[in-house]
Amino acid sequence: MKKGTLVMGRMLKCLGLIMVALVLVLGAGGEADAKKKKKKYKLTDEETAMFDKWQVKPKKRQKTVKDLRKKPKFVGAIKCNGSCHDPYYQAWTKSPHGGTFELLKAGVRKEAKVRVKLDPEKDYTTTPLCLRCHTTGYKQRGGFKPAGTKSKKGKDKSSKIDPDEPNLEQVGCEMCHSVAGGSQFRAVMKSSKGDFTKTETEKYGQRWDYANVCTRCHTHPNTPFLPSVHDKYKFNYEERKLKVHKIADFWSEDNADQKLEKVDDRAKQQGQTEKTPLIIEDFQIKDGKLKFKKGTKPYNSKKKTFNYKKG
Ligand code: HEC
Ligand code: HEC
Ligand code: HEC
């Protein structure tokens, strides 16, 4: 080999190393800067128009838009309690949906279990099939994690259960009002006067097709408690909905300011999801694990599009 080429080769190697070092130094510096400086969000025209209409306070707009743009994530019913929907939460804890986890324990509702050939003495609190319909967001972002759930490093990741404060382990608000209602639209609810229409909230993932949403569990082909088993499992939406929020007895001086001013107006409106309901996730148990079937999610968080039922 000629001496000239050798020198050239060494020079190139050196240059290469310098470049790598430069990228590392500059790259790391850039990251540190980004951490120091809070990210500024530029509101789209549509967001600005919506925030104006909802009277979102200027100071709260950055935080609100940040949360609003996040990927949907289950947050649990407790987040709805404490300052906004206390009577709804309190009534829910005493309602059928606030106690669904209990039913999975051994010895509970023996007769009903025997009728559908389930083992009345078995503990079903970690059985994937049951968890889909008796808890909130099982196998989805932020959702319920049963006992024994561990991280890759072996750390306990199971959801904490506090008998005094029902939360993700029950069928919570988000199982009917959509996950976006809890994690994203909550940001708007907290920072505005609640003056929004159904259609406006739907743009951000809230859904109003209640009668449809009930079929996620009631009368769903995967529930052992089908109407064909017993008449009491027949599902009449108009009758049943009266038992979902028995809030009347839960109003007090302390929470009187939480009364929803626009609730009657909204009841008269018809949202897009009521005209054309969103699809309901299809799921199956494969190798003992809960799997959602591809393409059956109501909301595509990447494309920000909705999947409506056909026909
Ligand atoms: C597809 C959803 C779904 C799945 C899966 C499911 N359940 Fe349920 N379960 C329901 C619904 C809905 C009800 C309420 C039915 C009603 O009252 O009309 C219910 C009711 C019950 C009841 C009370 C029945 C009664 O008559 O008192 C028990 C107990 C129960 N489920 C246990 C289980 C167990 C254990 C599993 C798993 C082996 C399971 N469920 C799986 C949706 C489901
Ligand atoms: C089993 C399904 C279900 C669950 C769980 C549920 N809701 Fe609802 N929610 C409904 C239905 C259905 C309505 C409409 C009631 C009606 O039309 O009378 C409603 C109405 C509401 C409204 C009034 C909406 C409006 O502005 O018109 C609020 C607020 C609300 N729910 C909050 C909550 C909170 C908070 C929780 C949890 C603590 C919760 N819900 C749990 C089904 C559910
Ligand atoms: C995520 C699953 C799920 C969804 C969604 C759901 N439910 Fe339920 N529901 C249950 C389970 C589980 C029970 C059993 C509770 C029990 O028997 O104690 C139940 C029980 C009930 C009961 C009590 C039955 C009784 O008479 O004792 C009513 C009423 C009811 N649901 C109404 C609704 C309505 C209305 C909707 C839709 C707006 C709905 N549910 C959506 C899971 C669900």
Side-chain angles (χ1 to χ4, degrees):
M1 214 185 277
K2 270 190 200 157
K3 210 179 163 192
T5 10
L6 249 177
V7 172
M8 270 289 279
R10 267 195 213 131
M11 269 171 67
L12 274 176
K13 238 188 224 160
C14 268
L15 217 89
L17 277 175
I18 290 170
M19 296 272 277
V20 169
L22 258 173
V23 167
L24 279 176
V25 168
L26 287 179
E31 227 171 70
D33 271 350
K35 258 183 209 154
K36 254 184 257 155
K37 240 192 278 156
K38 247 196 179 165
K39 193 174 165 192
K40 267 263 184 199
Y41 293 88
K42 195 172 161 10
L43 272 66
T44 63
D45 290 347
E46 187 186 285
E47 282 161 352
T48 308
M50 289 284 73
F51 284 15
D52 286 346
K53 183 185 175 256
W54 297 329
Q55 299 178 45
V56 177
K57 294 195 185 97
K59 260 193 182 162
K60 298 209 166 162
R61 290 193 176 198
Q62 280 292 310
K63 168 97 178 79
T64 305
V65 82
K66 181 179 165 219
D67 287 350
L68 198 58
R69 288 182 192 174
K70 274 185 191 157
K71 252 193 179 177
K73 182 182 166 190
F74 287 90
V75 297
I78 288 175
K79 290 268 196 226
C80 312
N81 185 37
S83 58
C84 299
H85 298 308
D86 301 12
Y88 285 87
Y89 175 82
Q90 284 152 19
W92 168 78
T93 64
K94 297 185 171 57
S95 82
H97 297 112
T100 48
F101 190 69
E102 191 63 25
L103 304 183
L104 305 182
K105 294 180 180 164
V108 178
R109 302 267 179 103
K110 286 189 188 181
E111 204 183 307
K113 282 177 185 160
V114 170
R115 194 163 42 222
V116 295
K117 303 197 171 59
L118 288 172
D119 179 354
E121 298 309 331
K122 191 180 157 180
D123 180 311
Y124 287 101
T125 59
T126 56
T127 308
L129 173 69
C130 318
L131 294 174
R132 160 63 186 164
C133 299
H134 282 254
T135 69
T136 301
Y138 173 62
K139 279 284 163 197
Q140 291 171 274
R141 277 170 55 91
F144 177 72
K145 295 185 183 65
T149 309
K150 294 212 163 77
S151 72
K152 280 191 188 123
K153 286 185 181 157
K155 244 178 95 182
D156 179 20
K157 284 273 168 189
S158 58
S159 304
K160 299 277 163 296
I161 297 178
D162 177 352
D164 294 329
E165 277 203 312
N167 201 21
L168 287 170
E169 74 280 7
Q170 317 289 349
V171 171
C173 329
E174 295 157 290
M175 289 307 277
C176 294
H177 292 289
S178 88
V179 51
S183 68
Q184 294 150 293
F185 207 72
R186 192 166 54 95
V188 174
M189 296 192 253
K190 280 197 309 191
S191 59
S192 74
K193 297 203 160 159
D195 183 6
F196 23 72
T197 65
K198 286 181 175 174
T199 325
E200 286 163 5
T201 69
E202 279 170 338
K203 279 190 206 138
Y204 301 97
Q206 181 93 289
R207 66 193 291 174
W208 299 88
D209 52 342
Y210 295 132
N212 178 42
V213 147
C214 313
T215 65
R216 259 195 183 138
C217 306
H218 293 271
T219 69
H220 188 282
N222 290 350
T223 171
F225 304 93
L226 284 166
S228 54
V229 169
H230 196 290
D231 273 355
K232 71 175 192 166
Y233 303 130
K234 282 192 179 139
F235 195 79
N236 177 319
Y237 173 70
E238 290 305 324
E239 270 171 33
R240 293 255 195 165
K241 90 167 177 193
L242 303 174
K243 294 189 191 166
V244 171
H245 287 309
K246 290 181 142 182
I247 51 173
D249 296 339
F250 294 87
W251 293 105
S252 68
E253 253 172 54
D254 292 338
N255 61 35
D257 61 321
Q258 295 179 12
K259 284 232 164 89
L260 300 170
E261 283 170 31
K262 299 286 168 178
V263 70
D264 294 336
D265 292 347
R266 270 195 291 277
K268 287 181 208 130
Q269 297 159 7
Q270 200 190 25
Q272 183 60 39
T273 48
E274 287 169 286
K275 285 180 218 154
T276 41
L278 291 167
I279 57 172
I280 298 290
E281 307 84 345
D282 206 354
F283 69 94
Q284 56 185 4
I285 307 298
K286 234 180 163 176
D287 307 324
K289 286 194 183 128
L290 177 81
K291 295 260 187 254
F292 290 104
K293 285 195 193 148
K294 268 219 174 92
T296 70
K297 286 256 168 81
Y299 180 62
N300 184 328
S301 57
K302 244 189 217 146
K303 291 192 206 150
K304 302 210 156 100
T305 52
F306 295 92
N307 281 327
Y308 294 100
K309 277 186 169 172
K310 291 194 180 77

